[in-house]
Amino acid sequence: MSRTIGVLAAALLSLPRVVGAQPISTKGLQSPVTLTRDSAGIVHIEAQNEHDLFFAQGYSAARDRLFQLELWRRQATGTMAEALGGRWVARDRSARLMRYRGNMDVELAHYHPRGKAIIGAFVDGVNAWVDRVRADRSLMPPDLAALGIVPGYWTPEVVVSRHNALASNASAEPDFARAVRLLGSEGMKRRDLFEPGNVTLALDSVVARAMSVVEDARLLADIRGSKNAPAFRADEVSPSWRKPLAAAGDSTDVAPRDRLESNNWVISGARTASGKPLVANDPHRAISVPSLRYLVHLKAPGWDVIGGGEPGIPGVAIGHNQHAAWGLTIFGIDSEDLYVYELDAANRTYRYRNGREALRTVTDTVRVKNGLPVPVTLQYTRHGPVLYVDSTRHVAVALRAGWLEAGGAPYLASLRLDQARTWQEAREALTFARMPTLNWVWGDTSGTIGWQTAGIAPIRKNWEGLLPVPGDGRYEWDGYLPIAQLPNETNPDRGFVGTANAFNVARDYGHFDALARDWGDGFRRDRLQEVLDTTQRATVASSGALQHDALSLPARRLVPLLATVSFTSAPAKAARDTVLAWNRVLDADSRGAAIYAAWERRLLSHTADLVLPLAVRPILGSVPLTRVVQWMEQPDSLLGERPVDARNFVLFRAFNEAVSDLRKRFGDDMRTWTYGDARFHHSRIAHPLDVLVSDSLKRALSPGPAPRGGYGNTLLATSNADNQNHGASLRVVIDVANWDSAIVTNTPGQSGDPRSPFYANLFPLWAKNTFVPLPYSAAAIAKRTADIVVLRP
């Protein structure tokens, strides 16, 4: 390691945190505001008026997360090339193509009656910290400085950007279309999961003629470019940070894609020890550093809400006020469609109904670091942004997205929920919650519990939204289903509501034309239901433990099948005996869990090889685990002419390969095989610059590795990869009877500045499945105070 890098690494680890004990004079405030940081790094903000409250939230978020917020700002505005050079122009064009372009006054008023003022105050607070950093470069986050980026100023348009929104299912439609073309409708339905199952999978003739365009790898480039986290190159990083001998073309690993997963539940007072409702939530997203989530407490006249959200958004998305607690998970609404158009010979107009309409063109200019500005052309149809034009075949494809309507910014409508006092008021607030499409659960001090799904739900009268359709007017959305008519419950007799992203809608529901039809495996949902069905006298501690439940329902059904399989090698026999005696819990220190997880992976792979024709494998990649379990228990003709023999061979081969894999990882001594070993299932959270910097800087920037239990189909959802790349970044459990008893976790920490003691302080606790308190009362906050900053006008 060079002397320069060594000195830099030492400095990075030892620089003092950016805090202040004295009052700080800040332009833009009306009155003093107190920011009290507790020992976990959570900031409790107390202001004398609404404007100053949200100004201080923006200031606090920027103080802790400026590296993250600046990258988000540039993603949202399409200005990465301005900071880093010409290779970012295409990405910047994508971001501009996907911008909300409607009336901003209507947009801002959607999220709260005073939305324009609240968002404006939040933006002013972010910019107040940006001013401080631009005036005093010692406050600059070192990783931002390493990229040579000077932070710019926020606007309300950045806050309402859709770049970080979760939505479906446009990105899946081309693969569905390819698979249906090869497998047919019935063949596709036998291999995937659709709910309800009576879907129609038929390619319209216009789309069938344009399949070469639908299959083009460039089709989804703009969607990915506008949403995916940026990946940097070595030549974009300061030489003093760069790892020795790094080539200019070295690229970072692509950040993990979000999985649309989460768990939440609310238990009525009849089933809790306190006699009041208990709310638990663990939203699952990509695990990243800095953390996606930011915990904050907002207190001012009319506001007293605490919990988590995203740092670039005012308000609290998950948490509680003095009246109620709430949580969220993704719900199945398909808010996107791909439209295929037949163009004229000049590629300027497309057929629509009985006439032709012109592509609308917007011109823009992307500024480029060390280069000339680049003009870009953006095109739109009546349905939305044009993703791709094949000028030779005279075909265009555009995206229609509900999130491009007013009110489509993610989580911002939580501002209304933050002030709700009753379930009736909460349901009214949720009629404004358009994105993401969510299961909301609620429990309040009156004892009421409730579930309301919410989101912008296009009504499709003549198709299910699973495949691309022509944009000629025959496939139009018939408006949006009113949110109040989406599935909901109030005080159900069972005494709880629990959701985990799987199909959870009554079969007699009357509006399936407004819901998604493609759902995930139901194992987490079923395990949650199994536990809650028998829960009595629930506590914060018991729900916290349930969030970390690692019992695998698939293992319950698959492992017994091994009892009839004969193995010849001693290692395979010993491994089989071990997994048969195993308790089906994927604990980090479990040998049986290691064997089972390695085996299940190969079962999935080999079963997919059997049931997917060769041409389909690169398209679908895998089949749902639910189907695999069904086929292993009751062999299907999809497995071949002799399905029982094929099943038995898959069980045998997959298990032998799993044992071989574990012997390569750990050696022949089975006593050393543990699931959560750094060589198997662990968590190391890689900073965006991780692969570009020296080993000493990696250790400072990227927490881990730490052992992990669970996997993608347990309530402790830790992904199916060796390194956990998605899962619960935030967890919270709240008993309405005692706000100060709430517990929470975030990972790796509240701060995104690697010099801060709050940068990765929560990672070890999160990795060990433990929590920190979420103090709410003044007395509880005082007991945990780490520092206080007072902002003065």
Side-chain angles (χ1 to χ4, degrees), residues 374-507:
V374 177
V376 294
T377 300
L378 315 174
Q379 290 184 300
Y380 299 86
T381 70
R382 63 166 35 240
H383 298 116
V386 175
L387 303 178
Y388 188 63
V389 174
D390 187 317
S391 56
T392 301
R393 295 178 175 84
H394 310 298
V395 172
V397 181
L399 171 71
R400 185 168 190 185
W403 44 266
L404 285 173
E405 301 283 348
Y411 302 112
L412 257 175
S414 299
L415 284 166
R416 294 178 181 267
L417 189 61
D418 289 347
Q419 293 184 297
R421 298 166 296 179
T422 66
W423 180 225
Q424 181 179 352
E425 290 181 1
R427 291 194 66 202
E428 174 61 27
L430 292 174
T431 62
F432 294 87
R434 290 187 147 191
M435 287 298 296
T437 61
L438 298 170
N439 292 285
W440 293 88
V441 296
W442 166 278
D444 63 35
T445 54
S446 76
T448 298
I449 68 170
W451 164 58
Q452 175 68 61
T453 58
I456 190 163
I459 299 171
R460 299 175 179 87
K461 291 296 187 183
N462 58 321
W463 88 109
E464 278 93 357
L466 292 167
L467 304 173
V469 291
D472 56 17
R474 291 179 291 128
Y475 297 86
E476 292 295 328
W477 293 354
D478 189 18
Y480 302 106
L481 186 69
I483 287 175
Q485 295 181 32
L486 284 166
N488 63 86
E489 286 185 315
T490 301
N491 293 325
D493 291 340
R494 78 182 80 86
F496 66 85
V497 175
T499 78
N501 313 115
F503 184 65
N504 61 336
V505 183
R507 298 283 174 177

Side-chain angles (χ1 to χ4, degrees), residues 592-646:
I595 298 168
Y596 173 77
W599 178 52
E600 188 193 275
R601 291 183 187 183
R602 281 155 185 81
L603 274 180
L604 280 163
S605 175
H606 290 315
T607 305
D609 286 345
L610 279 179
V611 304
L612 297 178
L614 189 61
V616 180
R617 291 177 203 169
I619 302 169
L620 295 182
S622 64
V623 288
L625 181 58
T626 298
R627 291 293 194 205
V628 173
V629 173
Q630 291 170 352
W631 294 326
M632 292 300 102
E633 291 180 326
Q634 298 179 346
D636 185 281
S637 60
L638 284 175
L639 298 179
E641 294 181 1
R642 299 167 61 184
V644 173
D645 290 344

